[in-house]
Structure formats: structure tokens, C-alpha cells
Amino acid sequence: MRPKSHDILFEPVQIGPVTAPNRFYQVPHCTGMGYGLPRTLAAMRGAKAEGGWGVVNTEYCSIDPSSDDTPAPYASLWDGGDVRNMALMTEAVHAHGSLAGVELWHGGIRSSNGFTRTRGLGPQSLPVYGDPWQVQAMDKADIAEYRRWHRDAARRAAQAEFDIVYVYAAHTYLLAQYLDARINTRSDEYGGSVENRARLVLELAEETREAVGSKRALAIRIEVDNEDGSDDEKVALFELLKGGFDLFDVTVADYSQEMGVSRFIKEASLEPFIAHVRKLTAKPVVSVGRFTSPDTMASQVKRGIVDLTGAARPSIADPFLPQKIREGRAEDIRECIGCNICYACDGRGVPIRCTQNPTMGEEWRRGWHPERVNIVQKRDKVLIVGAGPAGLEAAHIAGKRGHEVMLAEARREVGGRLTWETKLPGLSEWGRVRDYRLGQIAKLPNVELYRESRMTAADALAVGADHILVATGSHWRRDGRGRNSPVALPLSGGVMTPEEILLGAIPLGPVVAYDEDHYVVASALAEHLVSRGIETAYVTDAGVVSPWSAYTAEQPRAHKRLREKGVTLHFNVILQSASPGEVCFADVYSGVQTRLACATLVPVTSREPDDALWQELKHNKHVRRIGDCRAPGIIAQAVYDGHEAARAIAAEESDLEIRRERVVV
Ligand code: ADP
Ligand code: SF4
């Protein structure tokens, strides 16, 4: 039964001339699909509308070739072809009674224009983000052109049947550049005072409204904080803007806060920065906060912080979150773990995926529904060995399909790698990958979990299963093999693995955590150790702490954290050898060797698949390996592997089809 206190989330909200059926609002978020994969995109957005999100928005949608973000995939409304493609999304969203919104975008200085080769534009000529060239300072004619592009794109948005059209003035893109006094140093009527800097936004408000007509709402996305909510200029700006829009989508300037990983930022973290906005306007306000708790969502509405609960990641991890709350099944929510693997996809130019939700991005390509699976006619006996992320997901989905599932786990504690990874500082929310699946499995009478059941090949075969999935995981290597050395290094003296330390072993200091993995383990481990008073150095062949985590928007915070905690940092050196008391490194560029005092070395270089069981069983046709024992990777890959394998059991040929979306001439 749904608690009465959650009813408020299902009230309709008037947004100018349109009505959102409830308060669940999927804010614009990137998908790594962009204009190139319209069917893939439409099916993904449609799944969210089906799951109950009352408003579903696009990602950033370029208004004109003068703003292209290649290689990051972006949506576009440049021409009639784009209108037809985007209409696929609005149809998919409208089919479930939800509203569709579009975020009209021009990157200004943030657009490199690698695809169109058009010169970028900005309030002044400054270097573009990440490339050695600059944009052209906009003169009056350029501003007039830009306004015309925006108007025309808004008309196309109306043709594509979007209900809500955004003027996008946040996230350091063109309009935010005009609002920012440090970037906008113009001496004409578009620069200087706050009134002048807001002029372009106000002109667009008027022109966009005229272009989209009276049946569509006008929204603005804007940063309202100065980190303590007391910036007079931001208040003055809001006063100027508040009459111009039907909806305020408010956020903060610090992207690593707005989009914060759970390692550093917890649920509802924006509230102190945006809470004042609701009092400044009678129009609906929406903001995000990686909300997965319906109590927190309802409380924010009741306390007058927001009118609509904004979400990107929670809607990615669980497109059916609103429906589950409506049906009083909050315990079934697949809660976002705040890892930002979804966001990493856009930066890498690949379609979105999600650690918690393996169907994300696969709705059209593989026909995977986030909640429904094909129920089997004939119940097979399935043995799954190993209850890490891969094994748990496989057991959940095979069980949901109706198979008789036995999940055997060697240890008492379930979760595989999560049993130790969740002990890293800030990573406890990653345990939701395990907890969600354990919760679902507990509801399935046809799935049995056997703890403390280490399986040999003979044990596995003796079960008489129709299908065996080997999900026995991997472990960090102690011998230094990795990106730089495919052969074992001469490592003598104290060597420990991350698992050993996090499962209770206390290393002797000084410790050297050596990172060739470049993701989260080595840096979080260094933080863990130094917080326990153990002298620790973080050493890497890269030039910064955890470089891959730049994709997940956490790299700067990871780097800062280690500095703050007093971890010694060494960059651009490659591990050569270790002997009692010291380790030897060679400079990446010169080869010059250096030595560091070290009682315990923790090489975070690569992992060894635990595939002994698979090797013994692989000659049996009905055996398959999944997850890290197949190829060690990130948790999202293990979950995906488990999901795919469970869907493939006794599947029809058509269920296994993978569609490819591309231009065919
Ligand atoms: P993945 O990420 O692929 O799911 P993990 O390393 O997280 O891999 O999990 C693998 C799990 O398999 C661990 O919990 C481990 O204890 C378990 N396991 C390994 N070998 C066996 C075995 N022979 N029998 C049962 N469980 C096993
Ligand atoms: Fe959340 Fe991670 Fe999924 Fe993104 S990838 S929605 S952060 S669980």
C-alpha cells in the first residue's frame, strides 16, 4: 500500500499552457545517442514515459551547425529531417500521456565544432574547451543571427510536437557565458550590468514564446547559487527573468556537485543552494538531487522547495520508479548508485549504459524492456556459480523468466567484489547493486540461494542442471602485470591486494598504492589507508589521480581529496620492481629511475579472472561464463553479462536479435 504521504507526488502540475500528469520530471540528460540514433533514443525515452515520468526531456539539442559538440553525441533540430527524427521521441512519450520537452542548446565557447568546422561564437574571443583554437567574438549581426537560429529551432521544436521548450542558460554554455560577468566583458548593451547580461536571455524568452505558440510551455534552465545561496546579483537576475518563463529548472554552477558521484555527494545535496528560488516565483520549480527516496521527494514538495522532482540518473537506473511508488512498491526501486557510468558514455561518445539497469539503451537495439522479460514455457534447471553482480543479475532474470534457479556462493556474504568495494570511502551506495537483486530474488520462490557453497566442477555437474553459468569473478593481481608490463615484475617485500586490505588486513606503512587501473580503486584505497593513520603514497603512470574518472565527473574531487588527506602523490612513473623497504619506478618519458620507501606495495594494475571452474567445465555445451571471470571489468559490464546470459537461456532466435541503427543509402 502506498503511504498517503506519497500522494502529493501524483498531483498534476500546471506548466503554463500544459499540464504535467504528476511531479516526476525527467530533466534533460545526455545519452550518448544524439541525432544519430533516433529510434534508439525514442524507445529509451518512451520507456521512461511508460514507467510514469510525467515529463520526459531530450538531451542538449543543437539549434544550428554553428554549435556542434562532436565527438560527444548531441541531439539536433537543424532541419526537417531532425524534426521527423525528434518526432519519434515525442510520439513515444505522448503515447503514455506524458509531456515531451526539448532543451535548445548552443555551446558558444564550449563548442569545438569538430564536425561542422564552423567557427564557434562567444561573447568574447576565448579558447574553446580542450582545443587549441578560439571562438569568434559575436558582433551585433552575429547576435541577430543567433536569435534567428534559436527562433527557427523553436519553430521546428513545435513542429516535432514538443510540449515544453527550453531556453538553456546553464552549464557554461552560450547563454550562461553571457550571464557570467567574467566571460562577458562586452561594452555594448549585452555586457556590463546584470540587466545587460540578461538581455539576450530575455530576448530569447520573448521570441521563443512567439515561435512555439500559445499551446507550449517555455522553460529555463539556470544556475541560481553562488554556493551559499546569498548572491545579490543572482537574486537580481532572477527578478529580471521570473516573468518570462513558465517553469524554472534550477541547478548549481558546480557540475561535480549537481552531477556528483555518491563517493562525494549524497542525495538532495542541491537543496541548500536552490531552496530560496521557490519563494521568488509563483511558477513551478524543478531541481535534481539523485532522488531515489519517495519520502525525500514528497518532503521537498511539501516543504515548498520544488514543485516537480527532477531526475536524470534515478530515471536511468529505474525508468519505472514513478510507477513503483504509485503502486506502493518502493522496495522494488532499482536505486541509482551514483557511479556516473551513464554520464561517462557521453564523454566517450558511446550510447548510454547503466550499472544498475542493464536494459538502459537496449530498448530498441535488443528489444529489452526495463521490467518485463519473456516468461518461459518450459522451466529449465539453471545453476549459477558465484553471487557477485553477474551471478545475482543472472539469477534474478532467469528466475523472473520462470526457470528453476540455484545460485551457489562460496562465501557467507553475498555480493562478490561489492563485499570489499563498498568498504572504500564513500562507496557504500554501490551495495545497492547487490541489495536490489537480493530483494528481488527473495520474492521469487523458484530461486534458491546457497551460501557457503563453493562448487567444484564435479559438484556443478552433479546438480544435473540444463544450464550452468559460471560467475566466479576475478581478483587483483599481486605480480604487477598490467598496461605497462604484460609479464610479472620482480616484486619482493610486502605486497598486498586491495581486497585483502579492505577485508581486514592491516598493511605496514609506508604504503605505496600504485595505479595503472586509472579508475576508482587505487585512489579510494589510498584515502582509506591515510584516514587510518597509515602513511600512504599514491603513484601512477598517469599525469593525474584516477584519470578515467574524468569521464564520471569525479576526477577533480578525487585528486583534491587525496591532497587534502595528506596522501603523497607521484605521477608519470612506471613500476619496475619492489624489494624489502623500497619500490623502484621509471619516469614515463625519460626512463630515469626513482626509489620510494615502501613497507607495503599495493599494485592496482590488472585482475586475474577466477576461471578455474570454467576451464574444467567449458567442454560441456550447456556451460557459459559471465562477468569478471570472463573478462574483468566495471560492475556495469558484469551486470550486463548476467542479464544477457539469463535472457539467452532457451531463447527464441528472434529474442537474440541485435538491431543496428544506421543510415542506409
Ligand atoms: P562478477 O563481477 O563477475 O559478478 P565477483 O568477483 O563480484 O564477479 O563475484 C564472484 C563471486 O563468485 C564471489 O562472490 C566468489 O565468492 C564467488 N565464487 C568464486 N568461485 C566460486 C565457486 N567455485 N563456487 C561458488 N562461488 C564462487
Ligand atoms: Fe546511477 Fe550509475 Fe546508473 Fe548512472 S550508471 S544511473 S549513476 S547507477
Side-chain angles (χ1 to χ4, degrees), residues 128-181:
V128 302
Y129 185 71
D131 285 308
W133 54 80
Q134 297 191 198
V135 296
Q136 165 186 323
M138 292 166 83
D139 61 17
K140 293 282 181 53
D142 294 323
I143 291 178
E145 274 276 271
Y146 165 68
R147 287 168 58 187
R148 183 173 63 75
W149 298 331
H150 203 278
R151 235 177 2 243
D152 290 350
R155 279 199 198 101
R156 289 189 286 272
Q159 283 166 19
E161 296 293 356
F162 281 102
D163 309 286
I164 301 174
V165 179
Y166 269 74
V167 169
Y168 186 15
H171 296 144
T172 69
Y173 294 125
L174 184 67
L175 291 173
Q177 292 155 21
Y178 269 88
L179 292 175
D180 186 337

Side-chain angles (χ1 to χ4, degrees), residues 385-390 408-411 415-417 453-455 471-474 627-628 638:
V385 185
E409 166 54 47
R411 289 180 235 163
R417 58 190 287 176
S453 302
R454 181 170 291 282
M455 304 291 278
T472 46
S474 66
D628 290 342

Side-chain angles (χ1 to χ4, degrees), residues 36-40 364 658-665:
L37 301 174
R39 294 186 189 87
T40 312
W364 182 84
I658 303 180
R659 293 198 282 180
R660 179 171 166 220
E661 187 167 16
R662 70 202 189 282
V663 175
V664 181
V665 292

